Every structure is written in C-alpha cells, then in structure tokens.
Amino acid sequence: MDEGLLKWSQKKDYFKEKYSTDVIISNEEVIDLCVDKWKTYLFFKKNNIPTPKTSLGRKYNLFKPRKGRGSTGIYKKND
C-alpha cells in the first residue's frame, strides 16, 4: 500500500542500526514522486516517457486526486 511505503523508507536507517537489517525499498524522494500523480507526470515529461496529457486545472474531462489509488475520488466532467 502506498500509505506504508514512505514510513518504511524513513525507517531504513533505524532497522540497519538497531537490527543490522536492510530494508529493501526506494528512498523517500522516489516514493514521493511515484505516489503523487502530478509529480509522476512531470517526471515522465522531463524524461520523454510517453504519458497521457494532464493538468492541475480543469482542462480535461476526467479529474483524479494527486494521491490515492483505485477509482476513489475520480470524477468525470459533464458538459
């Protein structure tokens, strides 16, 4: 689950120091980029990775929250 990834990433050093255990997970910056749809979009554009066009405004007919999963919070604009 996205909600737990950041906390595990933040505790990597703790587990290494206290238990000599490596937590294999991306760093906080990568997790933040991947759970925020707008940041992911900007990263894709910057790195020439094909991605659907998006906007923070109401430019398109489909609205999704920046963070979340599944279909929770998705709205379609009706003309």
Side-chain angles (χ1 to χ4, degrees):
M1 300 281 196
D2 293 348
E3 298 83 14
L5 294 176
L6 189 57
K7 289 181 182 178
W8 276 105
S9 182
Q10 292 167 339
K11 292 188 174 194
K12 286 195 309 188
D13 292 338
Y14 168 80
F15 280 94
K16 183 67 172 178
E17 292 170 17
K18 179 126 179 145
Y19 301 106
S20 298
T21 300
D22 292 316
V23 176
I24 309 300
I25 193 166
S26 298
N27 63 36
E28 293 178 55
E29 294 80 17
V30 172
I31 293 170
D32 184 54
L33 177 117
C34 292
V35 299
D36 185 317
K37 293 174 183 71
W38 179 249
K39 289 180 182 179
T40 303
Y41 170 77
L42 294 176
F43 175 83
F44 284 180
K45 294 298 284 180
K46 179 181 176 184
N47 291 282
N48 297 313
I49 299 170
T51 186
K53 292 180 182 177
T54 190
S55 165
L56 288 179
R58 298 181 180 265
K59 186 174 180 180
Y60 302 105
N61 291 334
L62 186 67
F63 304 97
K64 295 180 80 173
R66 285 179 65 164
K67 296 184 178 184
R69 58 189 149 89
S71 59
T72 303
I74 295 177
Y75 298 96
K76 183 177 179 190
K77 180 171 75 173
N78 295 321
D79 291 337

